[in-house]
Amino acid sequence: MEANTAKFICRCQEITEEEIYKAIEDGATTIKGIKDRTEATMGLCQGRTCRRLIERMLPASGEPSRERYSCRPPVRTVKIGDLLKDESSKGEFE
Amino acid sequence: MNVMETDIAVIGAGPAGLSAAIQAARSGAKVLLLDENKAPGGQLFKQIHKFFGSKEHHAGVRGFNIGQELLKEVQRLGVTVMLDTVVYGIYEGLALGVVHQDNHYSIKAKRVILATGGQENYMAFPGSALPGVMGAGAAQTMINVHRVLPGNKILMIGSGNVGLIVSYQLMQAGAEVAALVEAMPQIGGYGVHAAKIRRAGVPIHTSHTILRALGEKEVEGAVIARLDQNMRPVAGSERELSVDTICLAVGLNPMTELAWMTGCQFEAVPALGGPIPLHDHNMQTTINGVYVAGDIAGVEEASSAMEEGNLAGIAAAESLGCLRSDEANAQKDIYLNRLMALRTGPFGEKRRLAKEHLLEAMKHASADRVSS
Ligand SMILES: Cc1cc2nc3c(=O)[nH]c(=O)nc-3n(C[C@H](O)[C@H](O)[C@H](O)COP(=O)(O)OP(=O)(O)OC[C@H]3O[C@@H](n4cnc5c(N)ncnc54)[C@H](O)[C@@H]3O)c2cc1C
Ligand code: FES
């Protein structure tokens, strides 16, 4: 038996704990900051399991904010083809 | 794209969503209930154990039967139930982006009740990405819904009610549970559930954690160790267990993505599982017309989820003029009192204080809204 030594935070994109900390060192303070630098949360789970782990690694900041969590549609993996069956599906909440 | 309209859209058909839909439909509102699963009931549909609590909360009835009772009522009242339906976003003006059986819908609702429940916390350690490491809830779905055993020899991480109940059910299903480990010095869940595990001869190691999973292509073992008072592993206390499955039962967190999209305000409440949308006694968030109920409003139990669903359903119907406010208030009092009764005792007390803290924060949030 051999131990796997790497600690994967985002399993599907194979992003390790070390890489997340590097992104934080590089100035990331939000999930989006991590995402832009590492592509973590952009895989199959769409952040459902890994976002929470990353959140806890981010530098502490008082209030939970929308920026820090950066939730955008789609919240589930949906087929792009289903959305493109017509072209009128646009417009974000803001 | 298909466009639909409704008075009240309820997202999630667990105990909270089903109860909200029942109350709203009873008052005459047009209600649409949406859930991504093929069967309604949320967490309930995989709960084969008898529930605890009082008679109003279906104590002694098995979880999935509670789900079925609620569903019957929903259908009798003429609620439109759309299963196999993912709500992937919420847009301006309470328009829901929905995919139902490969078709795309936009659903315009006058009120939205978010009853999306919670999701399992994950834990990262070397080897945690190996096949064989899974959430306890996933293991429970495999045995109770799909009738598949996830493995033969199991290590359970966490001794809350979920860890205890799922361990027991895994044994009933024919697996061997090698041990439970718990980081805290004491067992997290109810004594009755822990006693069943102990009677079966399964050790519960408190003040212990998992250090890593072993194996090349899949889990072949695990290394656990004792924790000192500062939650650091004690050198020399490592122990290797030969297991093929590691289940994580390390808590749930509210499924809040859709709530974040509406722009409502949140407050971090660790006792309830993470950042929670602020809400008042009507379960309304800081965004008019957006309500929350159940685990999304703080991870608790099916019983409290139902009562919160009842409140949200009544309040949403009242706000549409389907109920007079004196009628609505009389009904709300019943459910508020039942909620109070649920939040007592050593386990309930913590949640009651956390909920009170949220309500207090909500008052200030509303004040901000008025003054700004
Ligand atoms: C092992 C275990 C044992 C338990 N035992 C008990 C017990 O004995 N007594 C008790 O009172 N409680 C018990 N509970 C707790 C109880 O199951 C939950 O607290 C309760 O189910 C929460 O209800 P809910 O309606 O908020 O959410 P859920 O039951 O989780 O339902 C939410 C539903 O919304 C759906 N959904 C979420 N997002 C979307 C979306 N974007 N689009 C479409 N659908 C969506 C989900 O798929 C789900 O079906 C137990 C829980 C577990 C895991
Ligand atoms: S684990 Fe990769 S997106 Fe979440």
Side-chain angles (χ1 to χ4, degrees):
Chain A
M1 279 189 225
E2 197 185 283
N4 266 309
T5 44
K7 203 164 156 183
F8 289 109
I9 299 296
C10 170
R11 296 180 286 172
C12 43
Q13 309 286 87
E14 300 199 347
I15 312 296
T16 61
E17 184 178 54
E18 205 186 322
E19 288 169 276
I20 306 280
Y21 278 127
K22 257 197 214 133
I24 292 171
E25 246 167 64
D26 189 48
T29 55
T30 63
I31 299 282
K32 182 165 187 310
I34 300 286
K35 191 195 282 190
D36 291 346
R37 290 172 176 84
T38 67
E39 296 188 2
T41 79
M42 291 173 80
L44 206 57
C45 103
Q46 289 292 299
R48 286 178 77 190
T49 54
C50 53
R51 183 188 289 119
R52 179 93 178 159
L53 293 173
I54 300 172
E55 240 166 58
R56 277 189 253 167
M57 296 164 69
L58 289 175
S61 82
E63 295 296 295
S65 72
R66 213 175 157 187
E67 289 65 43
R68 189 172 161 99
Y69 288 86
S70 70
C71 295
R72 289 187 312 163
V75 301
R76 290 287 188 282
T77 36
V78 290
K79 288 186 228 149
I80 220 75
D82 289 345
L83 304 188
L84 295 182
K85 278 184 183 156
D86 55 80
E87 69 297 8
S88 50
S89 55
K90 46 179 173 277
E92 282 212 24
F93 198 83
E94 283 160 318
Chain B
M1 176 168 54
N2 311 285
V3 179
M4 288 171 79
E5 281 187 19
T6 186
D7 288 341
I8 301 177
V10 181
I11 307 175
L18 286 165
S19 304
I22 289 171
Q23 293 296 346
R26 238 177 229 163
S27 69
K30 187 175 161 199
V31 183
L32 192 59
L33 177 60
L34 310 152
D35 196 288
E36 62 191 319
N37 295 293
K38 292 195 166 64
Q43 291 286 339
L44 283 178
F45 82 92
K46 57 183 189 184
Q47 308 304 344
I48 56 167
H49 60 285
K50 292 188 180 160
F51 272 36
F52 35 81
S54 62
K55 189 155 151 283
E56 289 96 77
H57 298 112
H58 313 263
V61 182
R62 295 182 194 276
F64 65 89
N65 290 333
I66 301 176
Q68 253 143 23
E69 280 173 30
L70 294 175
L71 180 66
K72 247 192 252 157
E73 185 65 4
V74 158
Q75 284 164 337
R76 195 182 65 77
L77 289 165
V79 171
T80 310
V81 184
M82 278 172 84
L83 298 172
D84 201 357
T85 302
V86 167
V87 180
Y88 67 79
I90 299 192
Y91 301 91
E92 187 95 55
L94 300 189
L96 310 179
V98 171
V99 172
H100 169 63
Q101 293 168 346
D102 292 342
N103 285 309
H104 189 201
Y105 293 77
S106 169
I107 297 176
K108 283 259 325 152
K110 294 183 184 134
R111 303 286 182 269
V112 171
I113 301 177
L114 299 171
T116 49
Q119 59 199 346
E120 297 192 276
N121 289 338
Y122 213 72
M123 200 181 156
F125 45 83
S128 61
L130 283 171
V133 181
M134 67 182 74
Q140 192 186 39
T141 306
M142 286 175 78
I143 48 174
N144 293 353
V145 181
H146 304 297
R147 312 259 159 211
V148 181
L149 212 51
N152 292 311
K153 241 183 138 185
I154 296 169
L155 172 65
M156 181 67 67
I157 314 295
S159 72
N161 281 325
V162 173
L164 296 172
I165 292 171
V166 175
S167 293
Y168 192 69
Q169 292 178 350
L170 281 163
M171 288 190 265
Q172 286 179 314
E176 182 189 333
V177 177
L180 277 82
V181 301
E182 166 62 58
M184 293 309 203
Q186 71 284 334
I187 292 172
Y190 293 151
V192 276
H193 295 313
K196 276 188 181 172
I197 303 291
R198 285 223 166 102
R199 273 202 300 275
V202 177
I204 304 179
H205 301 297
T206 51
S207 294
H208 270 72
T209 192
I210 179 166
L211 292 184
R212 58 187 172 271
L214 305 171
E216 284 280 2
K217 293 213 162 68
E218 55 185 17
V219 173
E220 291 167 33
V223 178
I224 63 169
R226 193 148 45 82
L227 293 170
D228 66 16
Q229 280 160 331
N230 304 314
M231 299 295 245
R232 273 190 302 256
V234 177
S237 72
E238 297 88 358
R239 218 173 338 157
E240 208 176 297
L241 299 176
S242 155
V243 293
D244 58 19
T245 305
I246 299 168
C247 288
L248 306 175
V250 288
L252 293 134
N253 63 88
M255 209 178 306
T256 49
E257 291 96 332
L258 292 173
W260 282 112
M261 273 177 223
T262 68
C264 71
Q265 282 184 48
F266 278 70
E267 175 96 356
V269 192
L272 296 173
I276 312 280
L278 287 181
H279 56 270
D280 57 18
H281 279 300
N282 286 327
M283 305 309 296
Q284 187 168 221
T285 64
T286 55
I287 301 290
N288 264 329
V290 177
Y291 298 75
V292 286
D295 281 354
I296 184 184
V299 173
E300 291 190 84
E301 304 172 334
S303 14
S304 42
M306 288 185 250
E307 304 308 12
E308 290 192 344
N310 285 327
L311 285 172
I314 294 165
E318 177 192 12
S319 75
L320 288 170
C322 298
L323 278 173
R324 284 202 323 265
S325 67
D326 57 325
E327 292 169 332
N329 286 336
Q331 291 188 35
K332 282 187 250 173
D333 278 347
I334 300 174
Y335 299 113
L336 281 169
N337 283 332
R338 285 205 208 160
L339 267 176
M340 284 292 273
L342 283 170
R343 293 178 183 141
T344 52
F347 287 93
E349 184 69 9
K350 238 194 355 215
R351 299 195 312 250
R352 184 178 63 77
L353 291 173
K355 277 284 183 177
E356 274 169 13
H357 168 78
L358 268 181
L359 285 167
E360 202 49 42
M362 177 72 186
K363 277 186 207 152
H364 300 301
S366 328
D368 288 350
R369 266 197 305 172
V370 176
S371 62
S372 64

